[in-house]
Amino acid sequence: MPVFQFNPPERFIAGTVGQPGDRTFFLQAVGEGRITSVVLEKAQVEALATRIEELLEEVHRRFGAPPGDESAPEDEGPLEQPIEEDFRVGTLALAWDAEAARVIIEAQEVDEGVAEELLEDDEEELEVFAEEAPAHRDVLRVYLTPGEARAFAERALKVVSAGRPDCPLCGRPLDPAGHICARQNGYRPDRLV
């Protein structure tokens, strides 16, 4: 399987392209003269950032402050150009390398052929397909110090929250034209109290 490995990256950031409500989310790693950009869902970015923070808290609780835990400056720059999608992420993995004192983030390509087959085939055919399915998928693997991982997570959460504001009643995103709120049975008062 092709592995895009960055140990360490010059930059590793989450970013978006497009307007709120129609954004495409990217993880982008830069290093050694190459740029790897992978597409993923907003929920995946948020979950990754949250899990990184939880992982670092657990490492700190179990082992104390690891080397490289000092704060790294948050990268506020835009995604590197040109932005070319290398693959779409299906699975994210997070690990702690105790020997190297590094957070390892791995993004694995979604196997769209398998997903389509799962929807179309019945159970017997699925078993045969699973045995014949290709095992190779692209992988992005990044090694970060705890400080770099923390800075990545902080930026990722800012990127996620920079989208459309949530409705104070139902929690769904507000479009510029508004929305029909399920909590009001479609009724729109002139102003919210």
Side-chain angles (χ1 to χ4, degrees), residues 6-185:
F6 294 83
N7 186 10
E10 293 168 19
R11 288 183 83 199
F12 181 62
I13 58 171
T16 62
V17 173
Q19 297 299 314
D22 192 30
R23 298 186 295 170
T24 301
F25 287 79
F26 287 90
L27 291 181
Q28 189 177 73
V30 178
E32 298 176 358
R34 59 194 168 113
I35 301 170
T36 301
S37 302
V38 298
V39 174
L40 68 170
E41 298 297 324
K42 176 181 179 179
Q44 289 175 302
V45 175
E46 185 173 25
L48 177 61
T50 303
R51 297 299 183 267
I52 286 172
E53 291 176 344
E54 291 172 359
L55 174 70
L56 292 173
E57 286 176 19
E58 182 65 19
V59 166
H60 194 274
R61 187 182 66 75
R62 285 187 180 191
F63 308 111
D69 197 28
E70 58 277 350
S71 295
E74 187 178 322
D75 186 340
E76 296 181 7
L79 293 168
E80 296 285 333
Q81 301 291 328
I83 302 170
E84 296 176 4
E85 176 184 334
D86 288 293
F87 61 87
R88 180 169 288 278
V89 175
T91 306
L92 287 167
L94 185 63
W96 173 251
D97 181 348
E99 283 185 28
R102 295 286 186 267
V103 173
I104 304 170
I105 299 170
E106 188 172 285
Q108 189 176 65
E109 180 181 23
V110 67
D111 190 342
E112 294 182 23
V114 169
E116 289 174 16
E117 291 288 335
L118 289 175
L119 295 174
E120 295 173 5
D121 291 344
D122 65 2
E123 298 233 357
E124 292 175 328
E125 291 177 13
L126 283 177
E127 292 174 14
V128 172
F129 182 80
E131 293 172 6
E132 297 173 358
H136 67 281
R137 294 186 192 120
D138 290 348
V139 173
L140 169 63
R141 186 175 300 135
V142 180
Y143 295 77
L144 302 173
T145 66
E148 293 168 340
R150 190 170 282 112
F152 166 83
E154 289 171 7
R155 176 190 168 125
L157 290 174
K158 286 180 185 176
V159 166
V160 167
S161 66
R164 299 174 288 175
D166 291 334
C167 172
L169 299 175
C170 70
R172 294 180 59 200
L174 289 171
D175 291 323
H179 77 286
I180 297 175
C181 181
R183 298 280 309 266
Q184 293 185 350
N185 292 331

